[in-house]
Structures are given as C-alpha cells and as structure tokens.
Amino acid sequence: MKPLSLTLEAFGPYLDRVEIDFSSLNSAGLFLISGATGGGKTTLLDGMCMALFGKSTGGRRKFSDMRSLAAPPERVTEVTFEFSLGETAYRFSRARWFQKKRGSDELAVRERHECYRRENGAWTLVEAGASENIRKRAEDLLSLTAEQFSQVIVLPQGEFLKLLRANSREKEAILKTLFQADLWSRLTDALRARAAKALAALDTARTKRGERLAAAGAESADGLEQSIEALKKEQETARAALSAAQKETELQTAALDRATRAEALRREQDAARARRDEAARRLAEAA
C-alpha cells in the first residue's frame, strides 16, 4: 500500500482545506512527517485511518469526534485518502455536515461515505452508502481491520517514543501490546494444554495395553501376536481332528446301521425256518 494523497477540511486542527501529495515522496522510499507538538502530525494518520475505516488510529475516536471545533455549522467536514495497491489506485472519501430540516431551523446531520477505483484515468464509484459498507470494502482490500491497521501500518506516536527510549525488556512489553502478542501466548497455552491432554491419553492407552498383555500372558505386542498365531494353528488342528472324528463317526454309524439291518434279516430268516419246520411237523402228523 502506497499513500498518494490526503485531503482534510474542518477535520481536527485543520479548519481550512489541506491537500497533501505523497506521490512525489514515494520515490524516496522513506520520508518524515515532522512538526511541533500539537501541530497535527497524528491527525494526518488519523485521517488515513478515518477515511478507510471510519475510526481514528487506535479506534479511540469516531468520525463525528474529528470535526474541527472551529468549524461553523455550514462547513463540511471531509477527509479523502488516495492510495495504490499494486497497479490499482483507490480513493476513500467521507464527509459530514449539517443541513436545516425542511420548514424548520433545526439542523440535521448528513454524511457521505464513498469508495472509488481509478480505471482508464478516471475515478469510478465502486461503493457508497453506509459507513460500514465502506469499512468492509477497506477490510477486503487491505485484509486488515482498523485495529490491525493501527498496529501494523501506523505506530501511535506516544508508543513509538516509548519504544525508542525503552530497554530490551520494556521494548518486548511494548511490542507485545502493539501487536497483541498475548493472542499468540494464549494460542501457545492452548496448544500446550492439548499436547498435555494427548500425552495423558497416550499414557492411559499404554497402561491399558500393558494390563491386557499381562492378562493374555504376553510381554509385548509381538509376543501377543505370536500367541494369537499359535492359537490359530491349534484351532486349525482341532478343526481337522474334529472333521476326522465326524467322518469316523459317520462310518461307524453306517456300519452299525448295516449290522442292525443284517441282524433283523437273520431274525426274520430264523423265524421263517421255525414256521417252515412247524408246518412240516404238522403235515407229518396229519399223514
């Protein structure tokens, strides 16, 4: 992101219209905004942030708070910020003024919030309406919220002075505050808690495995696997023996059936002989 221009009117200490052209400074790569205390240096940064997000740096003031106290009611408070992203230029503009209500001397607040993109040498309106719509457009373009923009792009003046004068430990604390490093500390703590929970679950699983191995009479998982393989072989041997026994039983049953039928046939033959002998005896007696 490269600033191209900033226009302020009735904004903070800038009552009259002020236009700042950054384009001639960008070629240097680095430039300094300097001036006396209270001269309005921070207001320039507030203007950029206000045009984009509708908030000052740090989010302490709203657009309505930035109206110059010296501005008469008819004066329009306006901020316009132009910048480039890659090869594309954008313009974010906000305005606030008072207007008499129809048929009354009562003043009503009016606001204008717009976003433009430069296309073919002309500015094309891409978003207008509610302040939140323009804020969302800025967040989508920059991939930053107002708070992140203030922390990453703009260092608040007071905090930067503290940073210059601080020792190593104090600088670390200031940088943690500026860049919300406590978020990463919380994330680290959460990851450590998850790791501890995972290790505890692993220890529990190992304990249960040891108990089950002991119950199975094995010293290790490999030993248990060998025992299982041996049991499988014993099971196969038992199944083969059972199959052979079943076949032997079937053969014995068949032999028994044949013997039973033969015995029955023998008895029938004996009975037939007895009846024949009895018939022959009676025939002889009758003769």
Side-chain angles (χ1 to χ4, degrees), residues 67-85:
R67 180 173 173 81
S68 176
L69 297 178
E74 66 274 9
R75 196 70 174 266
V76 176
T77 297
E78 186 172 4
V79 55
T80 299
F81 180 44
E82 296 178 6
F83 61 94
S84 63
L85 281 177

Side-chain angles (χ1 to χ4, degrees), residues 59-111:
R60 293 182 295 271
R61 289 173 291 181
K62 304 185 297 294
F63 189 30
S64 58
D65 299 328
M66 296 303 298
R67 180 173 173 81
S68 176
L69 297 178
E74 66 274 9
R75 196 70 174 266
V76 176
T77 297
E78 186 172 4
V79 55
T80 299
F81 180 44
E82 296 178 6
F83 61 94
S84 63
L85 281 177
E87 299 299 324
T88 306
Y90 294 90
R91 171 190 287 171
F92 279 73
S93 178
R94 298 176 186 267
R96 193 173 194 270
W97 67 95
F98 295 97
Q99 181 176 326
K100 286 186 178 182
K101 293 183 178 180
R102 182 176 299 178
S104 172
D105 290 334
E106 185 179 355
L107 297 177
V109 177
R110 297 287 184 266
E111 290 187 356

Side-chain angles (χ1 to χ4, degrees), residues 68-271:
S68 176
L69 297 178
E74 66 274 9
R75 196 70 174 266
V76 176
T77 297
E78 186 172 4
V79 55
T80 299
F81 180 44
E82 296 178 6
F83 61 94
S84 63
L85 281 177
E87 299 299 324
T88 306
Y90 294 90
R91 171 190 287 171
F92 279 73
S93 178
R94 298 176 186 267
R96 193 173 194 270
W97 67 95
F98 295 97
Q99 181 176 326
K100 286 186 178 182
K101 293 183 178 180
R102 182 176 299 178
S104 172
D105 290 334
E106 185 179 355
L107 297 177
V109 177
R110 297 287 184 266
E111 290 187 356
R112 184 185 74 250
H113 309 275
E114 297 170 334
C115 170
Y116 296 83
R117 180 174 57 241
R118 196 165 185 82
E119 298 176 350
N120 300 321
W123 291 107
T124 301
L125 182 65
V126 294
E127 190 76 56
S131 175
E132 290 300 305
N133 295 344
I134 306 304
R135 175 190 61 77
K136 184 63 168 58
R137 175 70 65 169
E139 291 176 349
D140 291 342
L141 284 174
L142 302 176
S143 297
L144 294 171
T145 63
E147 291 74 17
Q148 293 168 338
F149 183 84
S150 297
Q151 292 164 356
V152 177
I153 306 300
V154 180
L155 280 174
Q157 180 177 330
E159 295 298 320
F160 186 63
L161 182 60
K162 291 180 184 178
L163 184 62
L164 292 177
R165 295 177 176 176
N167 57 36
S168 298
R169 181 175 298 180
E170 291 171 342
K171 285 179 180 178
E172 179 181 357
I174 293 172
L175 289 174
K176 282 183 177 180
T177 300
L178 288 174
F179 295 98
Q180 293 186 344
D182 58 327
L183 170 64
W184 306 112
S185 297
R186 292 196 301 271
L187 179 60
T188 301
D189 293 341
L191 291 176
R192 285 175 178 168
R194 291 178 62 181
K197 185 176 180 180
L199 288 175
L202 178 60
D203 290 340
T204 301
R206 286 173 174 170
T207 300
K208 289 182 178 179
R209 185 188 66 173
E211 293 173 351
R212 292 175 180 176
L213 288 174
E219 295 181 355
S220 64
D222 291 338
L224 181 60
E225 185 68 23
Q226 292 174 2
S227 298
I228 292 174
E229 290 298 325
L231 289 174
K232 287 181 178 179
K233 291 180 180 179
E234 291 178 5
Q235 187 181 43
E236 291 174 357
T237 302
R239 284 177 178 171
L242 176 61
S243 179
Q246 288 175 341
K247 290 181 179 179
E248 182 64 25
T249 300
E250 290 173 357
L251 291 174
Q252 291 178 359
T253 300
L256 179 60
D257 289 342
R258 289 194 298 271
T260 301
R261 287 195 296 272
E263 179 64 21
L265 181 58
R266 185 187 61 78
R267 289 178 181 177
E268 289 178 0
Q269 289 176 347
D270 290 343

